[in-house]
Amino acid sequence: MVFKRCPNCGGPMQPFRSLTDAEKAHVRGARTGFPPEAYIRCARPGCRRYQRRLKWDDGGDLPEN
């Protein structure tokens, strides 16, 4: 787990985790240019933000289940 800036959560740095297989499938269709393994997801409860490890402004929100 790493701590990064989350534009959805604001405030202090938030914990981020690796994407699950289902999340990778979504990112694969939503983002091109980088493999899904280059992205991480905010682990704060209720947040659906994913972003690239090295560039916080390259990301989006995962769909609600």
Side-chain angles (χ1 to χ4, degrees), residues 9-65:
C9 295
M13 303 288 248
Q14 300 296 327
F16 276 74
R17 62 166 176 77
S18 298
L19 299 176
T20 65
D21 289 339
E23 293 165 346
K24 285 180 186 177
H26 172 78
V27 171
R28 193 173 286 114
R31 298 279 173 197
T32 59
F34 289 92
E37 292 76 20
Y39 292 85
I40 51 179
R41 180 185 175 165
C42 183
R44 183 176 180 204
C47 187
R48 296 178 290 123
R49 173 81 182 170
Y50 67 90
Q51 61 194 39
R52 218 168 80 213
R53 287 183 188 274
L54 301 177
K55 190 170 184 200
W56 66 266
D57 61 348
D58 178 8
D61 292 329
L62 294 164
E64 293 187 34
N65 293 340

